[in-house]
Amino acid sequence: MKKRTFQSPLTRIAFIAVFGLLAMGACKSKKKVVAETPPPAPVEQVQPAPAPQPAQPSAEEVAVGKLENYFSSISNANSVQTANSTIQEVLGMFSNQETPVLIVIHEESGIKDYDEPTTIAKYLNYLKDTKKNLNFISDIRLDGSGRVSELELRRK
């Protein structure tokens, strides 16, 4: 007759204990392997790219800003002499005193209707006489030397 080895309770307990120890030993060895791995190499901190510099205004934008200020100061001048001296300063920004000034009175489907064309000298004197600045600059063209060669205005 054959003898069964697992029938005795002591054999079963011993077998379970040995199996448990082997299982626990295997787990400990895995933990050691994981714990003994070298720490990851330090990652270089990448500094963010410097913020882009604010865009410099174009020559046209600078000229528009100056002209809008000049137009306001001429129409709000306290005396005729002050307005005349400001007009002389403004004329220095233009290629000549006969530079055309076009005033858009209506636009539909990309087709513009203009008021009677005038020159910058006449327009500046008009601002001085009426003391009203009813237009804003919608388009400006500069010549090669940076002076205004054409000006287009619109009603505010």
Side-chain angles (χ1 to χ4, degrees):
M1 285 190 114
K2 279 190 175 181
K3 196 175 183 187
R4 294 189 181 163
T5 57
F6 287 111
Q7 283 186 351
S8 120
L10 238 80
T11 311
R12 284 185 199 157
I13 293 174
F15 180 74
I16 292 173
V18 169
F19 184 74
L21 286 174
L22 287 176
M24 291 175 128
C27 289
K28 287 182 182 178
S29 65
K30 286 182 183 178
K31 288 181 183 176
K32 286 181 184 177
V33 170
V34 170
E36 291 177 8
T37 57
V43 178
E44 282 187 38
Q45 292 181 356
V46 178
Q47 295 181 359
Q53 295 293 329
Q56 297 296 326
S58 66
E60 288 88 3
E61 291 171 336
V62 171
V64 167
K66 286 181 180 180
L67 287 174
E68 290 287 350
N69 289 336
Y70 279 132
F71 292 168
S72 294
S73 64
I74 290 170
S75 62
N76 297 327
N78 294 334
S79 68
V80 174
Q81 291 144 345
T82 307
N84 285 335
S85 66
T86 307
I87 288 172
Q88 291 307 312
E89 287 179 42
V90 175
L91 289 176
M93 293 181 63
F94 288 86
S95 56
N96 61 44
Q97 291 187 4
E98 301 301 314
T99 300
V101 176
L102 305 171
I103 302 172
V104 177
I105 55 175
H106 180 73
E107 181 177 3
E108 187 175 324
S109 303
I111 299 172
K112 298 176 183 177
D113 290 329
Y114 295 100
D115 196 3
E116 181 181 342
T118 187
T119 63
I120 189 59
K122 289 179 184 177
Y123 182 73
L124 294 173
N125 284 313
Y126 167 80
L127 287 177
K128 176 181 72 172
D129 296 339
T130 61
K131 296 199 176 285
K132 293 180 184 177
N133 185 12
L134 301 175
N135 301 311
F136 68 93
I137 299 171
S138 66
D139 190 22
I140 189 169
R141 296 208 177 103
L142 302 179
D143 61 9
S145 63
R147 295 178 181 255
V148 180
S149 62
E150 186 177 309
L151 192 62
E152 184 177 284
L153 306 173
R154 289 184 188 263
R155 292 274 180 208
K156 288 184 181 178

